[in-house]
């Protein structure tokens, strides 16, 4: 048995990942709201990458939006199930505001 690292960083997304993600968002039922938000986040990440010469903000944006799209059906099913969400905590209170 060889020693294996406990945590390996996720491999970087493919060069076409942003275009593929944008197309997934366009096909989604919430595209009217999500596409402008993705574009805003993507442009912010592009600017951060330009200033720092680091692609990490772009990779994080792709992973974050991919996660949103992947979990959207479960969230929709939860909300359609009639669960009371009125006692929830606003996400901004947990994560803070984006700068």
């Amino acid at each position: 048995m060889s020693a294996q690292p406990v945590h390996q960083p996720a491999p970087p997304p493919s060069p076409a990942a942003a275009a593929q993600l944008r197309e997934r968002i366009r096909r989604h039922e919430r595209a009217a709201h999500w596409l402008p938000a993705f574009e805003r986040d993507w442009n912010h990440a592009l600017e951060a990458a330009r200033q720092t010469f680091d692609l990490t903000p772009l990779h994080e944006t792709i992973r974050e939006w991919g996660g949103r799209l992947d979990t959207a059906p479960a969230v929709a099913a939860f909300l359609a199930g009639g669960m009371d969400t009125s006692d929830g905590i606003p996400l901004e209170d947990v994560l803070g505001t984006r700068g």
Side-chain angles (χ1 to χ4, degrees):
M1 188 159 111
S2 63
Q4 296 291 324
V6 175
H7 174 72
Q8 289 183 320
S14 73
Q20 294 165 348
L21 186 59
R22 188 176 283 115
E23 185 57 33
R24 282 182 64 196
I25 293 171
R26 279 192 183 123
R27 290 190 312 252
H28 197 275
E29 63 189 29
R30 300 197 62 192
H33 297 304
W34 284 8
L35 197 53
F38 171 74
E39 294 293 340
R40 181 198 64 232
D41 290 352
W42 183 252
N43 289 332
H44 185 271
L46 269 176
E47 187 56 34
R50 283 186 190 119
Q51 291 177 5
T52 63
F53 298 103
D54 181 11
L55 297 177
T56 302
L58 299 171
H59 297 169
E60 289 174 349
T61 300
I62 290 170
R63 287 187 189 104
E64 180 180 311
W65 276 94
R68 286 180 184 164
L69 286 172
D70 293 343
T71 58
V75 172
F78 174 80
L79 294 174
M83 301 298 289
D84 180 18
T85 61
S86 63
D87 65 344
I89 299 171
L91 187 59
E92 292 80 20
D93 291 352
V94 176
L95 300 178
T97 58
R98 295 187 100 181

